Amino acid sequence: MSTVGFLYPGFSAEDDYPRAEKLLIDRSRLALVHTEMPEDAHREDALLAIGGDEVLADGARRVAAEAGPLDAVVWACTSGSFIFGPDGAARQIAALERVSGVPTSSTSFAFVDACRRLGIRSVAVGATYPPDVAGAFVHFLTHHDISVHTLSARDIITAAEVGTLPPETVLEFAAAVATDAPGADAVLLPDTALHTVEVLDALDARVGRPVLTANQVSIWQGLRLAGADVDRPGLGTLFRRG
């Protein structure tokens, strides 16, 4: 049994984490705290603010105080990590790891590691973000040798609005993204504000290839870093071993 601490900005799809925890048959714990979000906006200045070192350090200290000893920590925000650029995102996690004292990552790096685990070299991205922010995610992926076939950006400004999208809308969005990129190995949905845990297997089935979502890869990364990387049904292709 492992305990992973998640730092989650604001309020939108944080209930994906207790939903996922119920599927973890080894009783691993997914402990979550909400980090400061002065402004809910998918805009560069707002995203840089929520991903600041002091904001994340405060979150790491609080989740450790509330959950007890941790085996790993994840900054569960894609845009609040890749917006710093590849080098800045790496520095962000290095600073957070010095505070947490345990293996630490972010959702942006979780996407890269998940693609490597599955042998995914080319992707289609379905982003809820405005085009400029979505483009920064594409840059992050290509820096890490992941080819982006197509990018679809829904231009939703707030995480709160993203969190209201119903499951069928998520399924339809992923299917449309996949249709536009028949040569891509997988579809990526890179927003932790998007509810996806309840439809992970359905997403893979609808699209016919792996669909990686932000909360899914965050949870997988945390468990992997904690040494609890085992086969877990109900959480999509990424969690199935062999």
Side-chain angles (χ1 to χ4, degrees), residues 164-231:
T164 67
L165 297 178
E168 188 56 37
T169 298
V170 177
L171 290 165
E172 291 172 358
F173 182 42
V177 170
T179 298
D180 289 341
D185 297 330
V187 170
L188 272 54
L189 303 180
D191 193 344
T192 58
L194 192 67
H195 286 97
T196 61
V197 163
E198 288 187 325
V199 294
L200 290 172
D201 285 343
L203 281 165
D204 290 346
R206 175 76 72 93
V207 169
R209 59 194 116 152
V211 178
L212 300 180
T213 78
N215 288 327
Q216 177 200 37
V217 301
S218 298
I219 294 164
W220 171 80
Q221 183 83 317
L223 292 168
R224 183 183 73 85
L225 292 176
D229 184 12
V230 299
D231 188 274

